[in-house]
Every structure is written in C-alpha cells, then in structure tokens.
Amino acid sequence: MTYIPLATYRLQLSPNLKLKEVKELIPYLHNLGISTIYAAPFFTAAPGSEHGYDVVNPHQINPEIGTLEELEEIAEELRKYKMGWLQDIVPNHMAYHPTNVWLMDVLEKGQKSNFYTFFDIDFAHPEFEGKVMVPFLGEPLEKVLEQGQLKLTFDETGFHIAYFDNVYPASINSYPYLLQKLADDSGNQTIKEKLQHLEQTIASDKLDIARWQQAKQDLHSSINDDATFKKLLASINSNQKALQELLDLQFFKLCFWQESQQKMNYRRFFTVNDLICLSIEKPEVFEKYHQFIKQLCQQGLVQGLRVDHVDGLFDPDKYLQQLREMAGDNMYLVVEKILEGEELMPDYWPIQGNSGYDFLAWVSNVLTDPSGEEKLTEVYQRTVPTATTDYEKLVFDKKLFILEKRMQGELQNLLRLLQHLQIVPQDYEEIWYHALAVWLASFPIYRVYGNSFPLPQVAHEVIEKAYATAMEKAPERQEQLEALRKVYQPDLSEPEDLLKDKLYFVMRSQQFTGPLAAKGVEDTAFYNYNRLISLNEVGNSPEIFNLRPEQFHKHMQGRQQQFPYSINATATHDTKRGEDARLRINVISELPEEWEQQVQQWIDVAVDLAPGMVPRRNDLYFIFQALLGVVPMDEKIDDSLIERVQEYITKALRETKARTNWTNPNEEYEEATKELAQKLLKSDSFLKLFLPFFRKLSHYGWLYSLNQLLLKLTCPGVPDIYQGCELWDLSLVDPDNRRKVDYSLRQNYLEELQKLDNNETAQLHRQLLHEPESGCVKLYLLYKILAVRNAFRSVAENGDYMPLQTTGKYKNHILAFARVLNQQWLVVVIPRLLVQLVPEKEIPLGNKVWDDTAVILPGGAPVQWKDELGNREVTANGELSIAILTETFPVALLTGSKV
C-alpha cells in the first residue's frame, strides 16, 4: 500500500539545520499534527551550500548536515510516532565544483573516465575541440595568464591547475609531458622509469581508478622533494607560454565566465554555470546516480521522494517509470512541476502528484478581488507610464532576450543539431537562428511530453498555439516556422531514421523550453510587470488575476479526480515572497483607488529623499508593494529588516535586467536605491503616510491567511507547512526564506495553546483574534484542523469535493464546500472580499456582520454537526447560518455523519 502523508513539514536542511536538530524537532512536529518530514536535498553538496541542490556526491549524506547513522536514528524515532520522511532528490544536475569527483574524473581522464558519458556535454562542439568548457575565470584567459593567476600545483593526488580556490585536475596527458621535461632536466634514470610506468598505466582504454591513484601517490613520494622538480614547477608557473602548452593538453578549456552567454558545450541548470546537467536517461547513469537513493528506500529510511525539476530531463516519462520500479509501489512519489494556466500533468505518470505550485496559485487567486483588475491596470499605467501593460508581449520579449543574450550558446547548439541531423539546411543560418528563437519563445507552457510519434494530443495543441504565436511575432519567417512545426508533427510515412532524428530533436529542445520559461518569466518578467506583485509567483501568473469561486471549485474537483495526493503548498524555498506577505499584498486588489492615492504620495516623498539618483518609477512601484508585505504586524522596523530589504532590492533590480543585471551590475544605481529604501524606512514623514495604509492591508491580510491555511488543510491534496510558517510568514525571496527558525518559541506557543484550548473556547478565540501580532491565531488554526484531518483522514484524503451554494444578503462573500465519503462529511466555510464587508480593525463575526447569510446543504446531508473550532454541536435545517458558525471565529470547519 502506497504511503500517503497526512501532512508534511518542509525543512531546509543545511549547515544551519542539521540532522541532530531535526531529531529533536520530531516530538514537536508530531504534537503539531505533522505526519511526514519533507526534507530539502541532504546529499553531499558544494561546501557551505545552504540549499542542497548543488550536489557533488549523491552517494552519501552531506557531512556538514549529518551522518547516515543519524538518519537511521531519526527513522527509528519517526517509527515510534508513526511518522515518515519525504526526501527531495536532484536527478537533473550536479554542482560544477572541484569536489565533484565524477566530473573531475572526466576533466582528468577524458574519454578514459568511467564517467565520460555521465554529464550532458557536447564534446563535438566545434569551438571546444573535444574539451569541456570551464567558465569560471574572472577575466579572459589571456589576461589571467598575463597576471600570473594560474598555477600548476602538485600533491599526493597528482598535478592540478589552480585558479585561486578553483583547483582542477591536470589531464593524464600532462604527466608524460611534465615527466619528460623533468627527465630531460635531471637526466635521472628513476624519473625515466616512472615516465615509462605512467605511460603504460594510462595506455589502457579505461583507467583502473585504484591503480591510477596509487601511481600518483608513488610519483609524489619520488619527486615532491626533488630540487630539480621544484625548479621545473617554478619555471612553468612563471612562463605564460609553458602554461599555455600545458593547458593545450587538458581535457577542459578554461574560459571567462561571461563567455557562457555566447557559447556553451554542456547543459546547465537554467543559466547557472556551476550546475552541470546529467544524462540521467542513460541506464548506467540512472543506476549509478540512484544507488544511495535506492538504499534509502530499501532500508525504509524514506517513505517518499520528491523529484526536482522533472522538466529538465530528456525523457521524464521514462525516468518516472524507472524511478517507480526502483523505489517500489509503496513509495510516495511527487514531482516539482510548474503548470501554466489550464495545463494538466500527464495522467499516466506513475506518481502521486506534484509539489503544489498550482495549488498555491489557485488559493491566492480565489482570494483576489476581480473588480480590481481593470482599475489596477489603469493605476499602473498612470503611475508608471513607461511600463508595459501587455503582459503577453512582455513575456515573449523577455524570453527572446534570455535566448539571445543569456542562452545564445544553447540556441546555437539546437540549431547546429538541426543542421547536423539534416533537418534544416546549412545556409541562411541567421534566418533559421531567428526562426528557432521565435519558435522556442512562443511555447505557452514549460514543455510537452512524449517519447514517440505521434506526440500526445495535448502536445499537438501546445504546438499549434506555439506556431500561432510565432507566426504573429515573425510572419516573415513563415517558411522556417512551418518547417519547425513539421519536426514536431512529422508525416509518419517518412523514413524511420529521419523520424528518429526528429524525435531526438523534439525531446532535446524540450529540455530548454522550461529553463527559458523560468528565466524569461519568473526571473525577468515577474520583476518588470508590477501591477500587483503578489500574482508574480512561481506557478502563478499576472495573466490570471482572479479565480471565481466556481472556477476554484472546478480546479479542486479536478485535483480530487486526477491527483488527490498532490502536495498543497502555499510557501516553498522557491516562492518569491512569504505566504502571508502574498495575501496581504492581494488586499490592494480591493483598494485600487486608495492604493493610487497612497503610492503617489509615497513617490513624492521618495523623490524628495532620493540621494541624487531617483530610482525608476517601476522599481519604486515594486519596492512599495514589497515593503507592505515584509513589515511585521508589530511595525518593528529595525536594522535587521532594513538589511533584508536592501539585499532583496539588489536581487530584484538585477532580475529586471533594466538599469542593472547580474552580468554587469550598475552598483551606483543599486546603492542609490538601497540607500533610498533605508531612508524611507527611517523617515517619519514617509512612515506617517505609509503605516495607516499598511495597517489596513495587514488587518485584512492576516484574516485571508486564515482562509488560505484552512483551504490548504481541507482541500484535496496533502497539506505542506514550510519551515517556520506555523506563525506569520513575511519572508522575501531566497535566501531570506531560509533564515533560521525559532522552534523553541513555536513549541512554547503550541504547548500554551493546547492548555488554553481545554478551557473556555470563546475566550481563547477573543484573545487570539485581538492579539494577532504573535501569529498564535495561525498556529491555533493549524493544529486544530490537523487534528480533525487525522480523525477524519479517509474523507480528507479521498472524499468527493462538493461545492456548496450560499444564500442571503452577503452570499457572494462566502466560499464553502464539503468533502464527502461513506456518509462522513466535512464542511468548510471561509469569508471573502472582506474590505467591502467589514470596516478596518473589525473581524467578520456573528449576526452583526452576516445577517441572514447561509450555506445551503444538499439533500442527504447530516442534520447534526460538530463545529470543530467552536467545540459545540450545531443543528442544520437544510442550511447553515454563517452568523452562528462565526460567532467566535471567522472561518469554520464542521464534521458530521449521516447515520
């Protein structure tokens, strides 16, 4: 029977949160109602890694985090509490780092390395002569050599070429070259014998690793203290020509890091040079990479796996089938998958679901006011006249920018592949280059799937959309675009070899449409289109301003039918801002006129305070919304907050790629903007204007956060709590959302709440609702609903999702649904559009607010219900009065059974 978590708790394992600390958290998490720890990658990563996605050794736990023995102790402890472990794995890429032994073996031995085929490297690339690109120099190689920054070094592990802290193994071809020089200089017969022995060792097709290591150690013992050798080493390091001769013998080519924007001969994660992708589709690579992961599954140390960036794989369909076979039918499997618009995951994948970005978007959008869309668009146009409000055009332009300025090498490689396969002609390269760029930028989703022709019907629909967009953007390329479309939709009567080549290109190209979407949209367009930045979120889109309740219900019904055990996430390590900050900013959709008045006043203050250089209007518009999201409810604006905001501003400005960027930072503009942010947050005149509006958004925002939490815990799917989000989450983008969590505070709060909960419920509710600053009201709702979810687990996991109608004066201000299974019922009720409903500082409680508003129950529903938050019995005569349900708390969960 497949393991299904009741609720997961996401932990960012790192040197700041080790396995020993995790073990100590287990009683607290169990007490909270969590069933499963959901851990960031814990495999050995590049030294000092704070996130774990830069794996260098997938065969062991990162010593900076803990040991296998500690994980075994945790597993034993989890079993006592009937809890489990969901482990994030990273099959798409590894770190391009000197501690990556597999990759360094390729750099040292070339084709004789056992790992030569493991990495997605184009050794046939015409500009690299069979070598691997190493794009980590701070300047062009000629300047690096001129400045004497490269050094040949030698120790018991052999010769290395060092560039500051980056140390790369010298190729096996370097050894005969260097020993011959040493033999010529010394005339030493022993050296000649060593040379002969080394030549014999490296002559075999595949080098025996142990034998080669021993040979290097013997060599070190023989020559390290030799005066002639030391002289030779010094001579080479002081001679540019000698170093260049040595570099010519390497299996790698050292390059200035910015060259990777124009050319690239390995697949990298997005545009990150120091993450090199794997060829996981090759059986030997899959087997070797998953060796330890398989052990963890077989030993019962993990009960689930979460696959990072499944879209980066050459053949996701095949990979997931292999993973399922390896992990077994009992393993809970989910994938990280960004879905665009109405896109659905392939229903044939042997998984339980995805990691929840779609759920995050749906919840956020159903809590946004649709009436604000047009008004906020107009406000944005008036306030920032230079900003584009054509989001679709912006996305296309930014994708094209990324392709032509940041992924030029990848684009050239794909065109070269088309030419090599003789699918497109060698001539008119510029025309085809442009056509291919337009084609790839026109894909409306991350990628299509399929490993045989014809592709699935849903893929054809995407291809037709891409073609239509491409034709609209570049009608002059019609001939080339039609030819590209036919690569994806070939005539099946074509020769088998040609079909095979076309399929290879299709699958290969789809490894780049995802990174293109991520870099062009999430990491560029999202920082340029600032109408309402809470919508600019991973898995969401400003194009979808709002979901009507009926649309939300439709999504939830589909989720229950297709992937009922997908994760329900509202915050992740990748989200652009904290889950509660996002909903606070959403409130602007209900206050567009007031927002316009406020932001204009703030801009005037900013202009007066600006230190000589006034930031772009669009940047200010973004920063003001970010400030509304990040300031805590107690309004404590200290140096720590200012520092966090300033770090965020640097990242945000560079992601816009307007006045500054990561490649060529405009530090003067960045510093001026950061200095202005500091002045604003310390300015009495600004805060006098800012805080009243902030308080209004903050009040409605935390009420919406309760809605979000209740939906996450009761809608179809497995609820996930991101670390620390038991209390208010006002984080900014990473690394801010990986700050250390104060668990002792949360434990104390939980224990106190559980003591108080046994007393007068109404009194506890009053206290929590009138002192929201601490976040205890959120923690209270979390542990209470998790307890209900545990008691009614079957209906929470497998119950049908039934939208409920409302009636009465404020029927449009309620969203309600039921979960039903075998005569067991859960009914969920949340308020919406609160700005229109209650004045600032008031809470939507009781008859004073709700009047005759009620939820209509369908035929066959129970008559007797338990109000789980009010801890009382409720009788229904065909409907549930909202005034009664919300006497003491603004959201409601009822349970009932039809006997």
Side-chain angles (χ1 to χ4, degrees):
M1 186 175 176
T2 304
Y3 176 87
I4 304 297
L6 173 77
T8 60
Y9 190 95
R10 172 75 178 195
L11 290 173
Q12 291 298 114
L13 300 181
S14 74
N16 295 322
L17 181 63
K18 301 183 180 183
L19 290 178
K20 281 183 180 178
E21 296 168 88
V22 172
K23 184 180 177 184
E24 294 171 1
L25 289 177
I26 293 172
Y28 160 69
L29 295 176
H30 177 261
N31 197 22
L32 184 60
I34 299 297
S35 76
T36 309
I37 290 173
Y38 171 16
F42 59 18
F43 308 98
T44 301
S49 173
E50 293 183 357
H51 51 78
Y53 290 95
D54 45 357
V55 177
V56 295
N57 183 356
H59 287 176
Q60 68 175 29
I61 291 174
N62 190 345
E64 294 184 28
I65 291 175
T67 65
L68 179 58
E69 290 71 28
E70 287 171 344
L71 182 65
E72 289 170 342
E73 290 174 12
I74 286 173
E76 185 62 34
E77 190 76 4
L78 289 172
R79 279 191 283 272
K80 291 178 187 175
Y81 288 98
K82 297 182 180 177
M83 293 173 67
W85 186 283
L86 169 60
Q87 183 57 50
D88 200 345
I89 63 171
V90 195
N92 179 63
H93 56 268
M94 294 178 72
Y96 202 137
H97 192 272
T99 56
N100 183 340
V101 175
W102 295 359
L103 182 58
M104 293 306 107
D105 199 70
V106 175
L107 267 55
E108 182 182 42
K109 298 169 187 166
Q111 293 186 38
K112 295 187 177 184
S113 168
N114 292 320
F115 303 100
Y116 184 71
T117 61
F118 273 47
F119 298 94
D120 198 343
I121 300 167
D122 180 10
F123 288 105
H125 194 293
E127 293 194 46
F128 291 94
E129 302 167 327
K131 299 184 178 187
V132 186
M133 186 180 193
V134 180
F136 302 111
L137 299 182
E139 296 177 285
L141 178 60
E142 299 75 24
K143 286 191 175 181
V144 168
L145 284 169
E146 282 173 16
Q147 294 169 28
Q149 293 173 342
L150 283 186
K151 299 292 179 187
L152 175 65
T153 65
F154 184 62
D155 60 23
E156 60 273 8
T157 63
F159 287 106
H160 298 85
I161 294 170
Y163 174 68
F164 297 107
D165 292 336
N166 289 338
V167 181
Y168 304 104
S171 71
I172 53 176
N173 295 340
S174 308
Y175 287 78
Y177 168 81
L178 291 167
L179 287 181
Q180 185 63 62
K181 277 185 172 293
L182 183 58
D184 292 344
D185 289 349
S186 67
N188 189 320
Q189 186 60 37
T190 304
I191 299 299
K192 293 179 180 178
E193 290 172 3
K194 289 286 180 188
L195 170 60
Q196 188 177 17
H197 176 67
L198 274 169
E199 286 175 333
Q200 290 172 351
T201 302
I202 64 177
S204 56
D205 291 339
K206 292 287 181 185
L207 281 183
D208 179 83
I209 295 174
R211 186 181 173 195
W212 175 240
Q213 291 300 113
Q214 187 60 52
K216 289 190 289 186
Q217 288 175 12
D218 291 346
L219 181 64
H220 181 263
S221 300
S222 301
I223 68 171
N224 188 54
D225 296 326
D226 185 273
T228 309
F229 171 68
K230 288 181 177 179
K231 186 177 177 183
L232 173 66
L233 208 58
S235 169
I236 291 173
N237 282 329
S238 62
N239 187 320
Q240 287 183 48
K241 185 181 176 185
L243 278 171
Q244 185 60 65
E245 282 181 13
L246 186 62
L247 290 177
D248 291 342
L249 295 171
Q250 304 312 308
F251 294 125
F252 56 85
K253 185 173 182 180
L254 295 172
C255 302
F256 179 30
W257 69 270
Q258 289 192 7
E259 289 181 41
S260 64
Q261 296 178 16
Q262 288 80 45
K263 57 187 177 182
M264 174 56 61
N265 83 325
Y266 63 87
R267 186 167 61 88
R268 48 190 175 156
F269 177 73
F270 294 1
T271 55
V272 183
N273 288 350
D274 51 10
L275 292 176
I276 183 169
C277 292
L278 290 153
S279 295
I280 207 75
E281 67 275 8
K282 295 176 180 174
E284 68 275 14
V285 183
F286 179 94
E287 185 177 348
K288 184 76 172 177
Y289 186 88
H290 291 84
Q291 189 175 304
F292 183 52
I293 297 169
K294 183 177 181 180
Q295 177 189 336
L296 295 174
C297 295
Q298 290 178 339
Q299 285 185 227
L301 300 181
V302 303
Q303 284 68 46
L305 299 174
R306 180 261 198 194
V307 180
D308 182 64
H309 192 44
V310 71
D311 282 347
L313 307 183
F314 180 74
D315 189 350
D317 296 1
K318 179 185 173 186
Y319 171 82
L320 292 173
Q321 190 60 50
Q322 286 178 301
L323 187 67
R324 172 58 74 193
E325 290 171 5
M326 181 209 82
D329 292 337
N330 295 338
M331 192 66 50
Y332 176 72
L333 295 184
V334 288
V335 299
E336 182 205 31
K337 169 65 189 158
I338 307 297
L339 296 166
E340 300 281 0
E342 298 296 313
E343 181 189 4
L344 300 173
M345 281 198 310
D347 58 9
Y348 56 84
W349 279 357
I351 61 174
Q352 273 62 55
N354 64 38
S355 54
Y357 296 113
D358 47 358
F359 183 83
L360 178 156
W362 296 330
V363 170
S364 179
N365 291 340
V366 81
L367 297 174
T368 307
D369 185 354
S371 69
E373 180 172 12
E374 188 175 337
K375 294 174 186 175
L376 280 180
T377 302
E378 292 169 359
V379 171
Y380 187 37
Q381 284 176 317
R382 285 194 293 268
T383 312
V384 190
T386 57
T388 178
T389 53
D390 186 342
Y391 181 71
E392 193 176 304
K393 180 179 185 301
L394 177 71
V395 165
F396 178 83
D397 291 346
K398 296 306 179 184
K399 281 187 176 182
L400 210 57
F401 168 84
I402 293 294
L403 264 178
E404 295 177 344
K405 302 296 183 183
R406 300 290 186 268
M407 294 175 67
Q408 192 177 337
E410 283 85 353
L411 183 59
Q412 288 174 336
N413 293 346
L414 284 173
L415 180 58
R416 195 180 303 110
L417 176 61
L418 281 170
Q419 293 170 333
H420 174 71
L421 298 175
Q422 298 183 337
I423 294 172
V424 305
Q426 299 284 338
D427 49 4
Y428 307 111
E429 188 164 300
E430 247 182 67
I431 291 173
W432 279 100
Y433 180 85
H434 179 241
L436 181 58
V438 170
W439 172 256
L440 295 173
S442 297
F443 265 74
I445 61 176
Y446 263 54
R447 65 168 292 162
V448 296
Y449 303 97
N451 50 23
S452 63
F453 284 135
L455 296 174
Q457 179 58 35
V458 66
H460 287 294
E461 293 168 8
V462 171
I463 290 157
E464 288 304 313
K465 283 182 184 176
Y467 176 72
T469 301
M471 281 296 298
E472 179 189 329
K473 301 296 182 185
E476 74 280 9
R477 299 286 177 256
Q478 181 175 356
E479 180 185 344
Q480 290 77 27
L481 292 171
E482 285 184 356
L484 287 170
R485 179 173 64 166
K486 287 177 182 175
V487 175
Y488 291 73
Q489 298 171 322
D491 180 345
L492 298 182
S493 65
E494 290 175 354
E496 190 176 330
D497 286 350
L498 180 57
L499 287 173
K500 187 177 177 183
D501 288 345
K502 287 186 174 182
L503 181 63
Y504 179 80
F505 175 79
V506 167
M507 296 173 72
R508 188 63 166 165
S509 71
Q510 295 307 285
Q511 291 183 281
F512 297 97
T513 52
L516 177 58
K519 296 306 295 180
V521 181
E522 293 166 21
D523 291 344
T524 308
F526 276 7
Y527 291 90
N528 283 276
Y529 188 81
N530 298 328
R531 179 184 60 183
L532 186 65
I533 66 171
S534 52
L535 302 180
N536 300 4
E537 190 53 89
V538 182
N540 204 354
S541 169
E543 279 188 299
I544 306 171
F545 189 89
N546 165 266
L547 279 181
R548 308 275 178 170
E550 57 270 22
Q551 295 172 304
F552 179 80
H553 292 318
K554 183 181 175 185
H555 280 302
M556 292 303 107
Q557 288 172 320
R559 193 174 185 79
Q560 181 59 36
Q561 291 161 10
Q562 291 151 357
F563 288 103
Y565 308 128
S566 262
I567 287 177
N568 290 351
T570 48
T572 77
H573 60 289
D574 278 332
T575 39
K576 301 297 181 185
R577 55 197 48 84
E579 62 184 27
D580 302 309
R582 185 164 58 247
L583 293 189
R584 186 191 285 176
I585 296 168
N586 268 0
V587 179
I588 293 173
S589 69
E590 299 183 54
L591 295 162
E593 293 88 358
E594 189 172 344
W595 162 247
E596 182 172 20
Q597 294 169 7
Q598 294 289 334
V599 80
Q600 191 55 62
Q601 293 180 55
W602 302 347
I603 288 173
D604 292 342
V605 174
V607 170
D608 290 340
L609 291 174
M613 183 186 291
V614 180
R616 295 189 317 150
R617 277 286 183 100
N618 204 28
D619 293 337
L620 283 175
Y621 205 78
F622 178 95
I623 290 167
F624 289 140
Q625 291 179 71
L627 292 181
L628 286 168
V630 75
V631 171
M633 289 174 70
D634 63 8
E635 300 175 17
K636 184 181 178 183
I637 300 173
D638 55 15
D639 290 341
S640 172
L641 179 73
I642 291 171
E643 186 179 331
R644 287 170 55 212
V645 167
Q646 289 182 317
E647 288 179 8
Y648 177 63
I649 284 173
T650 300
K651 180 165 185 170
L653 292 178
R654 291 183 184 183
E655 296 289 27
T656 66
K657 303 166 184 70
R659 286 275 183 90
T660 184
N661 57 59
W662 294 105
T663 306
N664 296 299
N666 179 345
E667 293 182 4
E668 183 185 2
Y669 181 73
E670 292 172 5
E671 288 304 315
T673 308
K674 286 158 63 177
E675 186 180 338
L676 173 60
Q678 182 178 31
K679 287 187 173 184
L680 288 169
L681 289 172
K682 290 189 171 185
S683 162
D684 291 338
S685 59
F686 174 72
L687 292 176
K688 188 176 180 181
L689 294 169
F690 175 83
L691 287 176
F693 188 67
F694 159 80
R695 289 172 190 137
K696 181 180 284 192
L697 259 62
S698 179
H699 174 70
Y700 293 115
W702 73 259
L703 290 169
Y704 285 141
S705 289
L706 300 183
N707 289 354
Q708 176 175 251
L709 181 58
L710 182 56
L711 290 175
K712 174 165 69 173
L713 297 171
T714 56
C715 283
V718 174
D720 173 54
I721 312 303
Y722 184 76
Q723 63 176 30
C725 289
E726 307 93 302
L727 304 181
W728 302 129
D729 173 27
L730 304 175
S731 302
L732 299 162
V733 76
D734 70 289
D736 192 63
N737 60 16
R738 292 197 299 268
R739 285 170 296 141
K740 198 166 182 66
V741 175
D742 185 346
Y743 281 109
S744 61
L745 175 70
R746 285 158 176 78
Q747 287 172 316
N748 291 338
Y749 278 169
L750 181 59
E751 289 169 7
E752 187 64 25
L753 281 170
Q754 289 173 332
K755 287 177 189 173
L756 293 172
D757 194 26
N758 295 323
N759 300 321
E760 178 59 44
T761 299
Q763 182 181 332
L764 174 59
H765 286 181
R766 273 195 302 275
Q767 180 182 334
L768 292 171
L769 294 173
H770 289 93
E771 299 174 3
E773 294 83 4
S774 68
C776 281
V777 64
K778 184 181 181 185
L779 178 60
Y780 165 79
L781 183 63
L782 174 60
Y783 95 79
K784 288 288 285 186
I785 305 304
L786 283 177
V788 177
R789 186 178 175 88
N790 188 36
F792 290 82
R793 183 162 187 171
S794 58
V795 65
E797 287 184 349
N798 301 308
D800 291 337
Y801 182 95
M802 185 185 298
L804 296 179
Q805 300 301 311
T806 53
T807 184
K809 187 175 180 180
Y810 298 112
K811 65 180 183 179
N812 293 329
H813 291 265
I814 289 291
L815 184 147
F817 62 87
R819 302 293 307 282
V820 185
L821 181 72
N822 298 331
Q823 302 301 317
Q824 280 195 325
W825 289 64
L826 302 179
V827 167
V828 177
V829 180
I830 64 164
R832 55 191 295 267
L833 304 176
L834 293 178
V835 174
Q836 303 168 35
L837 189 69
V838 291
E840 182 187 352
K841 297 183 181 176
E842 288 196 19
I843 297 168
L845 298 178
N847 191 61
K848 178 185 173 184
V849 172
W850 291 109
D851 202 330
D852 63 344
T853 311
V855 173
I856 301 171
L857 292 172
V863 174
Q864 295 298 321
W865 297 85
K866 182 181 180 186
D867 174 1
E868 294 288 352
L869 293 171
N871 195 27
R872 58 183 175 159
E873 299 299 318
V874 175
T875 301
N877 294 310
E879 60 181 41
L880 291 164
S881 164
I882 301 300
I884 292 173
L885 297 185
T886 63
E887 279 182 358
T888 62
F889 209 78
V891 300
L893 173 65
L894 294 96
T895 58
S897 298
K898 183 71 173 176
V899 181

